């Protein structure tokens, strides 16, 4: 426990120095052998063609005006308001870098602010690090990400739906529900199945740079494109902001920034190696996925950024092979799986000895019965109202104190529409809620809206 400012600076600085210290393994070939080249020469020509002035201006216009100003304190709004004055210089610098030039001094100096994830944070892991990149760097990064995301659907497997144009989070939610529903209603048969939900620790901060570079080259990206991307990633320096003061400079050896426009897409490219290895294991017969009917495809994993749901036959061979894959991926990519927060769900017909074999092989102690995936239930059970009762509790927690706030009737109406009515929307995009539950939520909203 530390209390004074100096000790806090020391503790947080040392924590992030350790977090960003590389511990890359040497088993890249074993993992990347399963990755096929997917980037064509036409794709590379598109990525490497000269950046236009319109692309650079469009990248600036697509960013929030006052979001996360960098170390120089100049937000996007400054560049928009004075584009006639600074635009030509900004375009020239961005084009110079993107065409293979050196990263200008100061571009990649990044301030990290720590946002509490819980009401009263007591440990560093209770704080979410958000990187405040300089706007001029973010323009260049945004131009790169705008081009990269055009070809992502042809590179990233269908098992991944995060950040890929044309794919939605609900795709994975509905697939996960179908898989687990089949498992929970399977009451007989010799085949037993398991669904493993993995928890990744500090997923972005652990990405190893050599692995990212090798993965991009293996996928077929041109060396010039990879060189520009790696300059963006490896030239960064951090200073952590603590109570208004900055720590000493931290020079990382690994990690991607939350706040850098291109980071989500680079994380997807790393996760594609994991996806390719899982596909290859199923083709070889080492890892059997779940197949809900004769004509349905077999699915052994669903990925959404760092949220992973793995589906496999619940036997010793499959569990041991999955553990081998996880160990290899951790060693190469730098990702760390938190086994304490990970859990496994079994099909209804799975016997206790088989459950124990799988859990021991994977070193996971928690058996999930009615867990969630991407914030929604993976199994409905007999009572839909009971399954979604958490929505009523969440709405009530958000609105129960509003009557003490001095809001007009019109103000309460706007607050209700913006907050309370938005809470059930995500669940309703995938599932039908019961009339009883909808009436209960409506009654609470009406009660608050009518008070005062």
């Amino acid at each position: 426990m530390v209390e004074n400012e100096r000790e806090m600076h020391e503790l947080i600085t040392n924590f992030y120095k350790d977090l960003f210290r590389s511990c890359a393994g040497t088993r890249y070939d074993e993992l990347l052998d399963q990755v096929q080249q997917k980037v064509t020469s036409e794709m590379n020509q598109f990525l490497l063609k000269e950046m236009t002035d319109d692309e650079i201006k469009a990248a600036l216009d697509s960013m929030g005006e006052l979001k996360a100003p960098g170390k120089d304190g100049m937000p996007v709004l400054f560049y928009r308001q004075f584009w006639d004055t600074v635009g030509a210089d900004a375009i020239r610098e961005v084009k110079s870098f993107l065409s293979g030039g050196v990263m200008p001094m100061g571009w990649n100096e990044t301030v990290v602010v720590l946002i509490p994830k819980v009401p009263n944070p007591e440990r560093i892991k209770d704080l979410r690090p958000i990187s405040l990149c300089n706007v001029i760097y973010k323009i260049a990064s945004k131009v790169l990400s705008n081009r990269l995301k055009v070809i992502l659907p042809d590179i990233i497997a269908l098992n991944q739906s995060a950040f890929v144009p044309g794919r939605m989070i609900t795709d994975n939610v509905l697939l996960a529900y179908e898989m687990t529903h089949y498992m929970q209603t399977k009451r007989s048969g010799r085949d037993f199945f398991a669904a493993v939900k993995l928890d990744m620790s500090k997923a972005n901060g652990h990405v190893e740079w050599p692995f990212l570079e090798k993965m991009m080259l293996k996928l077929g990206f041109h060396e010039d494109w990879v060189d520009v991307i790696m300059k963006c990633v490896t030239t960064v320096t951090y200073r952590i902001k603590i109570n208004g003061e900055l720590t000493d400079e931290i020079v990382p050896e690994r990690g991607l920034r939350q706040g850098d426009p291109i980071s989500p897409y680079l994380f997807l490219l790393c996760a594609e190696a994991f996806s390719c290895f899982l596909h290859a294991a199923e083709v070889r017969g080492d890892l059997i996925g779940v197949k809900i009917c004769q004509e349905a495809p077999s699915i052994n994993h669903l990925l959404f950024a760092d949220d992973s749901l793995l589906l496999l036959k619940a036997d010793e061979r499959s569990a041991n092979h999955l553990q081998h894959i996880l160990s290899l991926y951790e060693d190469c990519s730098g990702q760390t799986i938190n086994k304490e927060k990970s859990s496994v769900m079994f099909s209804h017909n799975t016997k206790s000895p088989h459950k124990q074999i799988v859990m021991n092989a994977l070193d996971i102690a928690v058996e999930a019965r009615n867990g969630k995936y991407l914030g929604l239930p993976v199994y409905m059970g007999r009572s839909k109202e009971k399954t979604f009762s958490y929505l009523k509790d969440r709405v009530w927690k958000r609105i129960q104190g509003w009557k003490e706030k001095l809001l007009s009737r019109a103000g309460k109406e706007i607050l209700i529409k913006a907050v309370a009515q938005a809470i059930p929307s995500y669940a309703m995009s995938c599932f039908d809620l019961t009339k009883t539950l909808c009436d209960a939520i409506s009654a609470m909203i009406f009660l608050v809206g009518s008070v005062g």
Side-chain angles (χ1 to χ4, degrees), residues 27-307:
R27 303 164 66 191
Y28 295 123
D29 291 342
E30 187 180 349
L31 179 62
L32 296 180
D33 277 348
Q34 308 301 328
V35 178
Q36 304 298 317
Q37 180 176 328
K38 297 183 180 180
V39 182
T40 64
S41 57
E42 291 79 11
M43 292 178 185
N44 276 320
Q45 288 175 11
F46 167 73
L47 293 174
L48 292 171
K49 70 180 182 181
E50 186 179 353
M51 306 294 175
T52 65
D53 295 0
D54 290 340
E55 274 186 285
I56 295 170
K57 183 62 167 65
L60 175 69
D61 292 339
S62 66
M63 294 188 281
E65 290 187 341
L66 296 172
K67 286 180 68 176
K71 185 181 176 183
D72 58 12
M74 292 184 181
V76 172
L77 181 62
F78 166 80
Y79 288 87
R80 285 194 192 169
Q81 291 279 16
F82 300 101
W83 191 249
D84 292 340
T85 305
V86 303
D89 290 336
I91 288 173
R92 185 174 61 253
E93 280 209 30
V94 170
K95 279 187 173 181
S96 174
F97 167 66
L98 294 180
S99 61
V102 177
M103 173 78 73
M105 181 97 42
W107 260 33
N108 235 346
E109 292 179 359
T110 305
V111 175
V112 176
V113 293
L114 304 174
I115 308 299
K117 293 192 281 188
V118 295
N120 297 302
E122 294 182 346
R123 295 169 292 183
I124 297 178
K125 69 177 185 178
D126 294 334
L127 302 166
R128 178 177 285 109
I130 302 296
S131 299
L132 308 184
C133 306
N134 291 315
V135 172
I136 192 72
Y137 165 78
K138 287 175 73 174
I139 294 173
S141 180
K142 189 73 173 176
V143 171
L144 293 172
S145 62
N146 285 344
R147 286 204 175 175
L148 180 58
K149 70 183 181 183
V150 172
I151 66 169
L152 274 183
D154 298 318
I155 299 173
I156 303 301
L158 292 173
N159 303 70
Q160 294 200 67
S161 60
F163 310 117
V164 180
R167 302 181 195 176
M168 298 187 297
I169 188 172
T170 51
D171 297 342
N172 275 26
V173 170
L174 293 172
L175 277 171
Y177 175 75
E178 290 294 335
M179 297 295 111
T180 53
H181 178 77
Y182 167 76
M183 288 168 55
Q184 291 295 335
T185 54
K186 183 175 176 59
R187 299 180 180 275
S188 60
R190 296 180 180 180
D191 292 335
F192 314 126
F193 296 101
V196 182
K197 184 182 175 186
L198 297 180
D199 181 87
M200 299 283 187
S201 299
K202 305 286 183 187
N204 277 18
H206 284 152
V207 173
E208 295 286 351
W209 294 341
F211 172 71
L212 172 62
E213 183 176 13
K214 289 177 184 295
M215 181 61 188
M216 286 194 289
L217 291 171
K218 182 69 175 180
L219 284 169
F221 285 99
H222 194 280
E223 289 181 2
D224 291 344
W225 171 267
V226 175
D227 183 57
V228 173
I229 295 293
M230 294 311 296
K231 283 179 188 174
C232 292
V233 172
T234 60
T235 59
V236 62
T237 59
Y238 295 112
R239 297 184 75 186
I240 316 295
K241 197 164 195 175
I242 305 169
N243 295 336
E245 295 183 4
L246 296 175
T247 65
D248 295 335
E249 188 176 83
I250 299 172
V251 181
E253 299 172 356
R254 66 175 180 179
L256 300 174
R257 288 171 287 181
Q258 289 181 307
D260 185 345
I262 203 167
S263 289
Y265 305 109
L266 298 182
F267 186 85
L268 280 189
L269 296 179
C270 292
E272 183 64 13
F274 184 40
S275 182
C276 288
F277 208 99
L278 290 169
H279 277 303
E282 178 146 23
V283 171
R284 294 192 307 268
D286 294 328
L287 190 66
I288 307 300
V290 175
K291 191 174 182 180
I292 62 175
C293 66
Q294 194 68 29
E295 301 300 322
S298 176
I299 296 176
N300 67 5
H301 68 285
L302 294 170
L303 307 180
F304 188 89
D306 59 337
D307 281 298

Side-chain angles (χ1 to χ4, degrees), residues 388-397 437 440-441 444:
F388 290 104
S389 61
Y390 72 93
L391 293 174
K392 187 168 63 173
D393 298 334
R394 285 181 60 193
V395 170
W396 179 244
K397 285 179 182 177
L437 180 60
I441 294 174
M444 287 192 299

Side-chain angles (χ1 to χ4, degrees), residues 1-2 6-16 124:
M1 179 69 71
V2 297
R6 184 167 191 161
E7 288 178 332
M8 280 209 286
H9 275 241
E10 217 173 286
L11 177 72
I12 292 174
T13 301
N14 290 335
F15 174 84
Y16 282 102
I124 297 178

